[in-house]
């Protein structure tokens, strides 16, 4: 399997631990090879964190 499906999973917000498991990699390997993509989802992660903090009244 090439990396395209895994990249799509990461971009879609699938937990990196699950992506690594399905790819047969460790999370460290996943992060090393897909670091650019993982950095690219920072905006989405920030939105999720802000939403969680708002919901908690923080």
């Amino acid at each position: 399997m090439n990396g395209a499906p895994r990249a799509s999973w990461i971009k879609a917000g699938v937990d990196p631990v699950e992506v690594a498991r399905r790819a047969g990699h460790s999370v460290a390997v996943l992060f090393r090879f897909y670091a650019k993509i993982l950095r690219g989802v920072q905006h989405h992660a920030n939105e999720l964190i802000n939403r969680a903090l708002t919901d908690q009244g923080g």
Side-chain angles (χ1 to χ4, degrees), residues 45-58:
N46 289 340
E47 288 176 358
L48 292 173
I49 291 167
N50 286 335
R51 191 177 315 145
L53 290 172
T54 301
D55 290 348
Q56 293 176 358

Side-chain angles (χ1 to χ4, degrees), residues 27-43:
V27 175
V29 168
L30 183 83
F31 284 175
R32 185 175 25 187
F33 287 106
Y34 295 94
K36 253 187 188 175
I37 294 166
L38 291 165
R39 280 193 296 270
V41 298
Q42 274 183 334
H43 179 72

